[in-house]
Amino acid sequence: VSTQSTGVSPQATMMRQAVSILSRRCQRSFSAEPTLHERLAALIPENRAMWTDIKKQHGSKSLGEVTVDQAIGGARGVKCMIWETSLLDAQEGIRFRGHTIPDLQNVLPDAEGGVAGEPLPEGILWLLLTGEVPTPGQVDWLKAELHSRAALPSHVEPLLRSLPKDMHPMTCLLYTSPSPRDS
């Protein structure tokens, strides 16, 4: 788009984008609600200490026996991993951090700005990462943060379009992902 057709110079457009980014960051810095980064910075050391303590106290205890059938069957029924974020129960369905889906529909922010609807994915993500029910403001912040990171690098779309249509999706992903040497 040319400057003549829009009447806006590239410098003005860049300035408007910079002001928008700064205003979002300044708005967050004066808010009383912690961001996801701030919550995780507080929670990670606490959790690390808790799991270190559990390992010290119980690290040598056995969790049971494993049969060959269980190993061949994908470890079905084997208690072999601690996973706090979700639990699938045959009777009551899935629980996310101890909450059933109906519970979450009543406590997580929804698209209408309230609760009692379908929870926004950002609210569920916050809950999975922190174990805490986020406020509507925290969900709005996370949504804005994720959207600000959503743009693809300019090389990705042309590269994807150049790949064979029958290529496996995971191979396509590998082609578009930076290598560790690139970072």
Side-chain angles (χ1 to χ4, degrees):
V1 178
S2 72
T3 303
Q4 292 173 345
S5 66
T6 62
V8 179
S9 71
Q11 291 85 2
T13 301
M14 286 182 4
M15 182 62 77
R16 213 176 291 134
Q17 290 172 340
V19 167
S20 173
I21 292 169
L22 286 173
S23 68
R24 277 199 315 255
R25 291 184 186 216
C26 289
Q27 181 181 12
R28 282 298 315 146
S29 66
F30 294 113
S31 173
E33 295 179 324
T35 66
L36 182 59
H37 300 116
E38 293 163 345
R39 283 305 302 136
L40 291 175
L43 291 171
I44 288 172
E46 294 171 12
N47 276 289
R48 186 175 289 142
M50 177 188 72
W51 289 113
T52 300
D53 188 47
I54 287 172
K55 272 184 76 172
K56 281 181 188 171
Q57 291 182 25
H58 306 285
S60 62
K61 293 181 181 172
S62 172
L63 295 175
E65 292 184 23
V66 177
T67 67
V68 172
D69 283 339
Q70 289 173 316
I72 292 171
R76 187 171 285 124
V78 177
K79 305 269 192 255
C80 60
M81 184 170 70
I82 296 174
W83 191 253
E84 300 176 274
T85 56
S86 62
L87 173 68
L88 184 56
D89 183 274
Q91 303 304 317
E92 62 179 16
I94 193 165
R95 286 182 165 268
F96 298 101
R97 292 287 190 151
H99 298 274
T100 64
I101 291 174
D103 291 342
L104 295 177
Q105 290 170 323
N106 290 320
V107 297
L108 286 177
D110 63 20
E112 304 299 320
V115 292
E118 291 304 318
L120 291 167
E122 296 85 359
I124 295 171
L125 178 60
W126 186 290
L127 174 74
L128 290 174
L129 291 173
T130 66
E132 303 167 350
V133 173
T135 66
Q138 289 170 323
V139 170
D140 289 344
W141 174 85
L142 182 55
K143 186 186 303 184
E145 179 72 15
L146 293 172
H147 284 230
S148 75
R149 297 165 182 259
L152 289 174
S154 60
H155 74 280
V156 173
E157 187 176 346
L159 175 61
L160 282 173
R161 292 190 185 287
S162 72
L163 297 174
K165 293 187 186 307
D166 61 347
M167 183 177 274
H168 191 280
M170 291 308 290
T171 306
C172 294
L173 179 64
L174 288 173
Y175 271 97
T176 60
S177 301
S179 72
R181 292 179 302 222
D182 295 339
S183 51

PDB file of all heavy atoms in Angstrom, residues 141-160:
ATOM      1  N   TRP A 141      -5.346 -10.056  29.134  1.00  0.00           N
ATOM      2  CA  TRP A 141      -3.910  -9.820  28.957  1.00  0.00           C
ATOM      3  C   TRP A 141      -3.274 -10.973  28.183  1.00  0.00           C
ATOM      4  O   TRP A 141      -2.509 -10.749  27.253  1.00  0.00           O
ATOM      5  CB  TRP A 141      -3.214  -9.664  30.312  1.00  0.00           C
ATOM      6  CG  TRP A 141      -1.729  -9.569  30.142  1.00  0.00           C
ATOM      7  CD1 TRP A 141      -0.997  -8.454  29.880  1.00  0.00           C
ATOM      8  CD2 TRP A 141      -0.801 -10.661  30.148  1.00  0.00           C
ATOM      9  NE1 TRP A 141       0.327  -8.780  29.731  1.00  0.00           N
ATOM     10  CE2 TRP A 141       0.476 -10.128  29.898  1.00  0.00           C
ATOM     11  CE3 TRP A 141      -0.920 -12.026  30.351  1.00  0.00           C
ATOM     12  CZ2 TRP A 141       1.621 -10.912  29.836  1.00  0.00           C
ATOM     13  CZ3 TRP A 141       0.223 -12.813  30.291  1.00  0.00           C
ATOM     14  CH2 TRP A 141       1.479 -12.250  30.043  1.00  0.00           C
ATOM     15  N   LEU A 142      -3.599 -12.216  28.572  1.00  0.00           N
ATOM     16  CA  LEU A 142      -3.003 -13.373  27.915  1.00  0.00           C
ATOM     17  C   LEU A 142      -3.416 -13.432  26.447  1.00  0.00           C
ATOM     18  O   LEU A 142      -2.600 -13.721  25.575  1.00  0.00           O
ATOM     19  CB  LEU A 142      -3.378 -14.671  28.640  1.00  0.00           C
ATOM     20  CG  LEU A 142      -2.772 -15.955  28.085  1.00  0.00           C
ATOM     21  CD1 LEU A 142      -1.254 -15.876  27.998  1.00  0.00           C
ATOM     22  CD2 LEU A 142      -3.210 -17.145  28.920  1.00  0.00           C
ATOM     23  N   LYS A 143      -4.679 -13.128  26.167  1.00  0.00           N
ATOM     24  CA  LYS A 143      -5.140 -13.122  24.779  1.00  0.00           C
ATOM     25  C   LYS A 143      -4.362 -12.092  23.959  1.00  0.00           C
ATOM     26  O   LYS A 143      -3.896 -12.388  22.858  1.00  0.00           O
ATOM     27  CB  LYS A 143      -6.635 -12.811  24.720  1.00  0.00           C
ATOM     28  CG  LYS A 143      -7.210 -12.943  23.318  1.00  0.00           C
ATOM     29  CD  LYS A 143      -8.659 -12.494  23.227  1.00  0.00           C
ATOM     30  CE  LYS A 143      -9.531 -13.235  24.177  1.00  0.00           C
ATOM     31  NZ  LYS A 143     -10.954 -12.872  24.041  1.00  0.00           N
ATOM     32  N   ALA A 144      -4.192 -10.887  24.495  1.00  0.00           N
ATOM     33  CA  ALA A 144      -3.431  -9.846  23.796  1.00  0.00           C
ATOM     34  C   ALA A 144      -1.968 -10.263  23.618  1.00  0.00           C
ATOM     35  O   ALA A 144      -1.374 -10.034  22.561  1.00  0.00           O
ATOM     36  CB  ALA A 144      -3.522  -8.527  24.551  1.00  0.00           C
ATOM     37  N   GLU A 145      -1.405 -10.888  24.628  1.00  0.00           N
ATOM     38  CA  GLU A 145      -0.012 -11.345  24.556  1.00  0.00           C
ATOM     39  C   GLU A 145       0.157 -12.394  23.468  1.00  0.00           C
ATOM     40  O   GLU A 145       1.091 -12.329  22.672  1.00  0.00           O
ATOM     41  CB  GLU A 145       0.418 -11.907  25.922  1.00  0.00           C
ATOM     42  CG  GLU A 145       1.826 -12.426  25.984  1.00  0.00           C
ATOM     43  CD  GLU A 145       2.884 -11.335  25.959  1.00  0.00           C
ATOM     44  OE1 GLU A 145       2.555 -10.154  26.177  1.00  0.00           O
ATOM     45  OE2 GLU A 145       4.053 -11.680  25.702  1.00  0.00           O
ATOM     46  N   LEU A 146      -0.745 -13.363  23.417  1.00  0.00           N
ATOM     47  CA  LEU A 146      -0.657 -14.403  22.392  1.00  0.00           C
ATOM     48  C   LEU A 146      -0.876 -13.823  20.996  1.00  0.00           C
ATOM     49  O   LEU A 146      -0.182 -14.186  20.052  1.00  0.00           O
ATOM     50  CB  LEU A 146      -1.668 -15.518  22.682  1.00  0.00           C
ATOM     51  CG  LEU A 146      -1.388 -16.346  23.941  1.00  0.00           C
ATOM     52  CD1 LEU A 146      -2.547 -17.288  24.226  1.00  0.00           C
ATOM     53  CD2 LEU A 146      -0.076 -17.094  23.841  1.00  0.00           C
ATOM     54  N   HIS A 147      -1.841 -12.911  20.870  1.00  0.00           N
ATOM     55  CA  HIS A 147      -2.102 -12.290  19.565  1.00  0.00           C
ATOM     56  C   HIS A 147      -0.896 -11.480  19.098  1.00  0.00           C
ATOM     57  O   HIS A 147      -0.602 -11.443  17.900  1.00  0.00           O
ATOM     58  CB  HIS A 147      -3.352 -11.414  19.624  1.00  0.00           C
ATOM     59  CG  HIS A 147      -4.618 -12.201  19.610  1.00  0.00           C
ATOM     60  ND1 HIS A 147      -5.651 -11.932  18.761  1.00  0.00           N
ATOM     61  CD2 HIS A 147      -5.020 -13.266  20.345  1.00  0.00           C
ATOM     62  CE1 HIS A 147      -6.631 -12.792  18.967  1.00  0.00           C
ATOM     63  NE2 HIS A 147      -6.265 -13.607  19.935  1.00  0.00           N
ATOM     64  N   SER A 148      -0.192 -10.834  20.030  1.00  0.00           N
ATOM     65  CA  SER A 148       0.970 -10.031  19.649  1.00  0.00           C
ATOM     66  C   SER A 148       2.111 -10.899  19.120  1.00  0.00           C
ATOM     67  O   SER A 148       3.003 -10.413  18.441  1.00  0.00           O
ATOM     68  CB  SER A 148       1.469  -9.190  20.833  1.00  0.00           C
ATOM     69  OG  SER A 148       2.152  -9.992  21.782  1.00  0.00           O
ATOM     70  N   ARG A 149       2.078 -12.188  19.419  1.00  0.00           N
ATOM     71  CA  ARG A 149       3.126 -13.111  18.981  1.00  0.00           C
ATOM     72  C   ARG A 149       2.684 -13.985  17.804  1.00  0.00           C
ATOM     73  O   ARG A 149       3.382 -14.907  17.417  1.00  0.00           O
ATOM     74  CB  ARG A 149       3.519 -14.032  20.136  1.00  0.00           C
ATOM     75  CG  ARG A 149       4.112 -13.295  21.310  1.00  0.00           C
ATOM     76  CD  ARG A 149       4.144 -14.196  22.540  1.00  0.00           C
ATOM     77  NE  ARG A 149       4.668 -13.497  23.682  1.00  0.00           N
ATOM     78  CZ  ARG A 149       5.904 -13.634  24.132  1.00  0.00           C
ATOM     79  NH1 ARG A 149       6.744 -14.455  23.545  1.00  0.00           N
ATOM     80  NH2 ARG A 149       6.309 -12.966  25.184  1.00  0.00           N
ATOM     81  N   ALA A 150       1.517 -13.707  17.233  1.00  0.00           N
ATOM     82  CA  ALA A 150       0.911 -14.605  16.259  1.00  0.00           C
ATOM     83  C   ALA A 150       1.428 -14.458  14.833  1.00  0.00           C
ATOM     84  O   ALA A 150       1.224 -15.352  14.021  1.00  0.00           O
ATOM     85  CB  ALA A 150      -0.607 -14.422  16.262  1.00  0.00           C
ATOM     86  N   ALA A 151       2.070 -13.369  14.504  1.00  0.00           N
ATOM     87  CA  ALA A 151       2.512 -13.153  13.127  1.00  0.00           C
ATOM     88  C   ALA A 151       3.601 -14.153  12.743  1.00  0.00           C
ATOM     89  O   ALA A 151       4.533 -14.406  13.513  1.00  0.00           O
ATOM     90  CB  ALA A 151       3.025 -11.735  12.954  1.00  0.00           C
ATOM     91  N   LEU A 152       3.460 -14.719  11.563  1.00  0.00           N
ATOM     92  CA  LEU A 152       4.482 -15.641  11.051  1.00  0.00           C
ATOM     93  C   LEU A 152       5.667 -14.852  10.520  1.00  0.00           C
ATOM     94  O   LEU A 152       5.480 -13.785   9.929  1.00  0.00           O
ATOM     95  CB  LEU A 152       3.916 -16.470   9.897  1.00  0.00           C
ATOM     96  CG  LEU A 152       2.887 -17.533  10.233  1.00  0.00           C
ATOM     97  CD1 LEU A 152       2.331 -18.139   8.948  1.00  0.00           C
ATOM     98  CD2 LEU A 152       3.502 -18.618  11.096  1.00  0.00           C
ATOM     99  N   PRO A 153       6.864 -15.350  10.673  1.00  0.00           N
ATOM    100  CA  PRO A 153       8.007 -14.720   9.998  1.00  0.00           C
ATOM    101  C   PRO A 153       7.752 -14.731   8.489  1.00  0.00           C
ATOM    102  O   PRO A 153       7.096 -15.638   7.966  1.00  0.00           O
ATOM    103  CB  PRO A 153       9.191 -15.608  10.376  1.00  0.00           C
ATOM    104  CG  PRO A 153       8.755 -16.320  11.617  1.00  0.00           C
ATOM    105  CD  PRO A 153       7.268 -16.472  11.512  1.00  0.00           C
ATOM    106  N   SER A 154       8.269 -13.746   7.804  1.00  0.00           N
ATOM    107  CA  SER A 154       7.959 -13.568   6.379  1.00  0.00           C
ATOM    108  C   SER A 154       8.354 -14.760   5.510  1.00  0.00           C
ATOM    109  O   SER A 154       7.755 -14.980   4.470  1.00  0.00           O
ATOM    110  CB  SER A 154       8.629 -12.298   5.853  1.00  0.00           C
ATOM    111  OG  SER A 154      10.027 -12.391   6.021  1.00  0.00           O
ATOM    112  N   HIS A 155       9.306 -15.566   5.930  1.00  0.00           N
ATOM    113  CA  HIS A 155       9.749 -16.693   5.104  1.00  0.00           C
ATOM    114  C   HIS A 155       8.870 -17.930   5.218  1.00  0.00           C
ATOM    115  O   HIS A 155       8.932 -18.822   4.379  1.00  0.00           O
ATOM    116  CB  HIS A 155      11.191 -17.069   5.463  1.00  0.00           C
ATOM    117  CG  HIS A 155      11.306 -17.774   6.781  1.00  0.00           C
ATOM    118  ND1 HIS A 155      11.301 -17.115   7.996  1.00  0.00           N
ATOM    119  CD2 HIS A 155      11.393 -19.096   7.066  1.00  0.00           C
ATOM    120  CE1 HIS A 155      11.396 -17.992   8.973  1.00  0.00           C
ATOM    121  NE2 HIS A 155      11.459 -19.202   8.443  1.00  0.00           N
ATOM    122  N   VAL A 156       8.012 -18.009   6.246  1.00  0.00           N
ATOM    123  CA  VAL A 156       7.306 -19.258   6.526  1.00  0.00           C
ATOM    124  C   VAL A 156       6.235 -19.575   5.483  1.00  0.00           C
ATOM    125  O   VAL A 156       6.186 -20.696   4.958  1.00  0.00           O
ATOM    126  CB  VAL A 156       6.696 -19.234   7.950  1.00  0.00           C
ATOM    127  CG1 VAL A 156       5.821 -20.451   8.188  1.00  0.00           C
ATOM    128  CG2 VAL A 156       7.812 -19.176   8.988  1.00  0.00           C
ATOM    129  N   GLU A 157       5.372 -18.625   5.167  1.00  0.00           N
ATOM    130  CA  GLU A 157       4.292 -18.925   4.228  1.00  0.00           C
ATOM    131  C   GLU A 157       4.812 -19.310   2.841  1.00  0.00           C
ATOM    132  O   GLU A 157       4.382 -20.338   2.292  1.00  0.00           O
ATOM    133  CB  GLU A 157       3.311 -17.761   4.127  1.00  0.00           C
ATOM    134  CG  GLU A 157       2.096 -18.124   3.292  1.00  0.00           C
ATOM    135  CD  GLU A 157       1.051 -17.032   3.244  1.00  0.00           C
ATOM    136  OE1 GLU A 157       1.116 -16.083   4.049  1.00  0.00           O
ATOM    137  OE2 GLU A 157       0.166 -17.135   2.380  1.00  0.00           O
ATOM    138  N   PRO A 158       5.755 -18.560   2.240  1.00  0.00           N
ATOM    139  CA  PRO A 158       6.278 -19.009   0.942  1.00  0.00           C
ATOM    140  C   PRO A 158       6.943 -20.380   1.013  1.00  0.00           C
ATOM    141  O   PRO A 158       6.820 -21.186   0.088  1.00  0.00           O
ATOM    142  CB  PRO A 158       7.299 -17.932   0.569  1.00  0.00           C
ATOM    143  CG  PRO A 158       6.941 -16.746   1.378  1.00  0.00           C
ATOM    144  CD  PRO A 158       6.293 -17.256   2.619  1.00  0.00           C
ATOM    145  N   LEU A 159       7.621 -20.652   2.119  1.00  0.00           N
ATOM    146  CA  LEU A 159       8.257 -21.958   2.266  1.00  0.00           C
ATOM    147  C   LEU A 159       7.203 -23.060   2.312  1.00  0.00           C
ATOM    148  O   LEU A 159       7.315 -24.079   1.631  1.00  0.00           O
ATOM    149  CB  LEU A 159       9.118 -21.991   3.530  1.00  0.00           C
ATOM    150  CG  LEU A 159       9.758 -23.335   3.866  1.00  0.00           C
ATOM    151  CD1 LEU A 159      10.694 -23.783   2.748  1.00  0.00           C
ATOM    152  CD2 LEU A 159      10.509 -23.256   5.174  1.00  0.00           C
ATOM    153  N   LEU A 160       6.131 -22.866   3.113  1.00  0.00           N
ATOM    154  CA  LEU A 160       5.071 -23.867   3.194  1.00  0.00           C
ATOM    155  C   LEU A 160       4.417 -24.102   1.838  1.00  0.00           C
ATOM    156  O   LEU A 160       4.127 -25.231   1.459  1.00  0.00           O
ATOM    157  CB  LEU A 160       4.007 -23.437   4.206  1.00  0.00           C
ATOM    158  CG  LEU A 160       4.359 -23.637   5.672  1.00  0.00           C
ATOM    159  CD1 LEU A 160       3.291 -23.017   6.559  1.00  0.00           C
ATOM    160  CD2 LEU A 160       4.533 -25.108   5.994  1.00  0.00           C
TER     161      LEU A 160
END
